[in-house]
Amino acid sequence: MKQSTICVQAGWQPKNGEPRVLPIYQSTTFKYETSEEMGKLFDLEKDGYFYTRLQNPTNDCVAAKIAQLEGGVAGMLTSSGQAANYYAVFNICEAGDHVVMSSKMYGGTFNLLTVTMKKMGVECSLVDPDASVDEINAAFKDNTKCVLAETLSNPSVVVLDIEKWANAAHAHGVPLIVDNTFATPINCRPFEWGADIVTHSTTKYMDGHAMAVGGAIVDSGNFDWMAHKEKFKGLTEPDESYHGIVYAEKFGKAAYITKATSQLMRDLGSIQSPQNAFLLNIGLETLHLRVPRHCENALKVAKFLSEHDDVAWVSYPGLETDKYHDLAMKYMPNGTCGVMCFGLKGGREASIKMMDNLKLACIVTHVADARTCVLHPASHTHRQMTDEQLMEAGVRPDLIRLSIGIEDADDIIADLKQALECK
């Protein structure tokens, strides 16, 4: 099926006499007739549901839809995008391991890897996404277990050369994990370019209405864990907490997601609520309609800003003059996203003042939903970073992150124009 049909039709497949609309299975538990039946579920000998902390029918239907959109073999929902990135990495890493990560990752993910997971014994090396192959290769160590990057970085909107990074990861026998939140599978499917695992903050474009926090992980099924069994013992050696099951042998291409569900979700419990999954599914049904409108509006706004006398710079890959335009045309020929960055000639204070004068666009700690919104990362999402870390992450002091909604583009431009004129 085409992406637009998958958005509407995939996931929930009602049988004769069942509800046409995906039901909310608002139950923590599920009944079985015998103890033996329940025991088989706990032994991973049988498919089914017994406790929503691990799996829920509503969630699984939505995860299946996202997996189909990405072209993966299996997916799972998490309570947030942060949880998705944490689970995606921690599922194959433990104390003493190492991760290679793009230095332009979203501030929350940057902090997760460089601070919190460091305390857990997982080290991280940062590499500029524009680095050469030799520079990327130099970051790998014997204990490297994965590479983590974003299709489009938040907030700097750097376009990742997916093939280059995937080739580097595979040359060192590890998977490439790509956060595809901004591009969405409507504009980019990283698996087609060599990525192995994809994550999402479903809170953003997939939900599309700022209603429900959530995350997702999708596995391509392409990475051969057994070919690198010494690196990934959690998948290739017996799990004593499940009677010695070897995930890669028993579950094949579904091994990675099965382990993440049966181990991490069991022990850490960052499940997405069925109610939120239901709301997410509603958003997914119009994803293919909204994303092109976001991109169309964003390109018009980016052109307006690039021609304004008070604007010092604009970063949007859709602009032909943008540094990443060629890469964007390779990986996202139909558009990138609705997010852009720009700065004013008056510097940081001028940027803040302009934001305070906006009327239609709101200052919110969010991005990528139907409404136009704005943020000053150095003062908000990235304020825990030092100036050096900010520059390393691609966040200039004057950087304004502007998320273009699906309103009329002329109204968005009019709001920006009046705010720029209020000096």
Side-chain angles (χ1 to χ4, degrees):
M1 292 188 293
K2 305 287 187 178
Q3 293 290 75
S4 55
T5 306
I6 294 171
C7 284
V8 179
Q9 293 283 355
W12 171 243
Q13 299 296 316
K15 298 181 180 65
N16 189 47
E18 290 186 334
R20 181 64 189 91
V21 174
L22 173 66
I24 304 172
Y25 284 85
Q26 196 65 46
S27 179
T28 61
T29 53
F30 301 83
K31 176 192 171 184
Y32 289 87
E33 296 294 334
T34 68
S35 176
E36 182 182 3
E37 287 182 281
M38 180 72 80
K40 288 180 179 178
L41 296 174
F42 277 93
D43 286 345
L44 303 182
E45 294 294 335
K46 184 178 179 181
D47 292 332
Y49 302 95
F50 52 90
Y51 196 54
T52 284
R53 188 179 81 233
L54 280 88
Q55 286 180 283
N56 177 281
T58 305
N59 293 28
D60 280 0
C61 284
V62 181
K65 176 180 285 190
I66 295 172
Q68 192 170 346
L69 282 168
E70 286 287 5
V73 297
M76 66 184 293
L77 299 187
T78 60
S79 58
S80 67
Q82 275 291 87
N85 281 334
Y86 173 52
Y87 278 25
V89 173
F90 196 54
N91 198 36
I92 49 178
C93 288
E94 59 185 42
D97 287 340
H98 173 258
V99 175
V100 173
M101 184 174 73
S102 164
S103 62
K104 299 298 190 291
M105 290 293 290
Y106 159 66
T109 307
F110 186 99
N111 205 65
L112 169 67
L113 269 292
T114 60
V115 178
T116 301
M117 293 193 73
K118 183 178 181 180
K119 295 176 183 176
M120 301 168 66
V122 177
E123 295 293 330
C124 177
S125 294
L126 301 173
V127 181
D128 191 295
D130 297 337
S132 67
V133 173
D134 288 342
E135 288 171 323
I136 298 172
N137 285 333
F140 285 85
K141 301 179 180 181
D142 291 340
N143 59 339
T144 301
K145 291 296 180 67
C146 66
V147 178
L148 180 63
E150 287 174 314
T151 316
L152 290 166
S153 63
N154 178 8
S156 51
V157 209
V158 170
V159 180
L160 182 74
D161 190 340
I162 304 171
E163 279 191 309
K164 180 175 74 174
W165 281 74
N167 289 338
H170 297 160
H172 293 272
V174 301
L176 171 62
I177 303 172
V178 174
D179 186 326
N180 197 32
T181 295
F182 272 8
T184 82
I186 300 301
N187 282 343
C188 183
R189 303 215 305 176
F191 295 155
E192 296 175 355
W193 301 99
D196 301 288
I197 297 155
V198 158
T199 63
H200 285 277
S201 170
T202 62
T203 317
K204 310 304 190 298
Y205 286 121
M206 284 188 167
D207 171 286
H209 302 86
M211 294 189 297
V213 174
I217 307 171
V218 179
D219 182 17
S220 67
N222 294 331
F223 192 83
D224 190 346
W225 305 107
M226 293 303 291
H228 308 281
K229 61 187 305 181
E230 291 303 313
K231 276 184 176 287
F232 304 103
K233 295 181 179 180
L235 284 157
T236 63
E237 293 188 358
D239 177 4
E240 298 307 325
S241 70
Y242 273 111
H243 312 293
I245 282 176
V246 178
Y247 293 98
E249 291 180 352
K250 184 174 180 61
F251 299 103
K253 289 182 177 295
Y256 177 87
I257 292 295
T258 302
K259 179 179 179 291
T261 302
S262 57
Q263 276 190 2
L264 301 188
M265 198 62 81
R266 174 196 65 188
D267 295 341
L268 301 174
S270 300
I271 192 72
Q272 187 169 145
S273 76
Q275 177 72 54
N276 280 8
F278 175 81
L279 295 172
L280 169 58
N281 191 57
I282 294 173
L284 287 169
E285 289 180 351
T286 61
L287 184 65
H288 63 293
L289 301 175
R290 290 182 285 104
V291 168
R293 177 60 177 254
H294 283 290
C295 295
E296 176 188 345
N297 281 356
L299 185 56
K300 291 178 181 178
V301 171
K303 288 179 178 177
F304 162 76
L305 289 171
S306 66
E307 296 169 358
H308 198 283
D309 291 340
D310 292 334
V311 175
W313 59 273
V314 179
S315 179
Y316 184 66
L319 291 172
E320 292 183 2
T321 55
D322 191 86
K323 176 182 178 180
Y324 297 101
H325 183 71
D326 289 344
L327 274 180
M329 290 300 99
K330 174 181 177 178
Y331 294 115
M332 292 158 263
N334 296 321
T336 53
C337 66
V339 180
M340 68 187 66
C341 299
F342 69 100
L344 301 183
K345 292 178 180 177
R348 180 172 185 153
E349 293 307 314
S351 295
I352 292 172
K353 183 178 180 182
M354 188 281 292
M355 287 172 50
D356 290 345
N357 289 325
L358 290 166
K359 297 178 180 178
L360 184 149
C362 294
I363 301 173
V364 298
T365 310
H366 198 244
V367 67
D369 67 54
R371 305 165 193 85
T372 296
C373 57
V374 66
L375 191 77
H376 185 243
S379 299
H380 306 141
T381 53
H382 292 60
R383 69 179 299 129
Q384 79 276 13
M385 294 184 179
T386 64
D387 287 345
E388 291 76 16
Q389 288 175 323
L390 283 170
M391 292 305 294
E392 188 175 26
V395 181
R396 296 167 51 159
D398 64 339
L399 185 152
I400 297 170
R401 184 184 71 182
L402 179 62
S403 177
I404 302 300
I406 57 175
E407 307 95 342
D408 190 291
D410 289 342
D411 290 332
I412 300 170
I413 291 171
D415 187 38
L416 289 166
K417 185 177 181 180
Q418 65 82 25
L420 288 165
E421 291 172 351
C422 294
K423 298 178 180 178

